[in-house]
Amino acid sequence: MITTVWPGTDAETLENQVTDKIEKEIKSLQGLDNFISATFNSFSIVDVSFKAESPVAESIQKLRGNLDDAEPELPSEATGREQTEFEQLSQQDAPVLSLALTGEGLDTNILRIKDSISSVFAEAGYAK
């Protein structure tokens, strides 16, 4: 996932000056499966997915290289734009189970219930 923060910038400007340029650089990546972007006031997100058979380390290295290539085309950090950040995520990082508790009277007991559920998972060796 690639994120860019540019406080005070409207979504259209951010898309034209940042998101579109990042997309242009990643479109040509070998092994690219898909990418999705979203631009909002003050920040942009580009989510990149590679084909399952693509070598992970090599694909990530090429993505970082393409981001470095895009950097000179982006507005300077002197304009308030923060350094574009890259975070590698994996399907293994996604939660296997999500719980939502709803109903009348839960407002007073919700924290106790949450703590009980969390402790069961912790005792079983699972992260919160």
Side-chain angles (χ1 to χ4, degrees):
M1 181 172 298
I2 303 161
T3 58
T4 305
V5 177
W6 192 1
T9 305
D10 65 275
E12 184 177 359
T13 300
L14 192 56
E15 182 170 9
N16 292 333
Q17 294 187 25
V18 177
T19 309
D20 290 348
K21 293 177 181 181
I22 290 173
E23 288 178 350
K24 179 182 159 195
E25 287 295 330
I26 63 176
K27 282 181 183 179
S28 63
L29 281 172
Q30 187 175 3
L32 180 68
D33 183 34
N34 189 25
F35 70 89
I36 300 169
S37 66
T39 306
F40 307 93
N41 289 336
S42 300
F43 72 97
S44 164
I45 301 170
V46 181
D47 186 27
V48 181
S49 301
F50 291 97
K51 295 177 182 171
E53 63 272 7
S54 297
V56 175
E58 183 179 325
S59 297
I60 297 301
Q61 183 178 10
K62 287 181 180 178
L63 176 59
R64 286 184 187 271
N66 284 30
L67 287 175
D68 289 344
D69 291 345
E71 192 66 30
E73 297 180 42
L74 303 179
S76 73
E77 291 177 40
T79 63
R81 181 187 66 84
E82 296 178 16
Q83 177 70 36
T84 298
E85 293 186 15
F86 169 82
E87 181 179 5
Q88 181 178 342
L89 303 174
S90 169
Q91 288 181 341
Q92 296 168 342
D93 295 334
V96 175
L97 175 68
S98 295
L99 298 174
L101 303 173
T102 62
E104 290 184 36
L106 282 179
D107 56 341
T108 58
N109 296 315
I110 193 81
L111 292 175
R112 188 174 45 81
I113 293 169
K114 179 196 75 74
D115 291 341
S116 296
I117 292 170
S118 294
S119 67
V120 168
F121 281 100
E123 288 173 17
Y126 298 103
K128 291 183 182 180

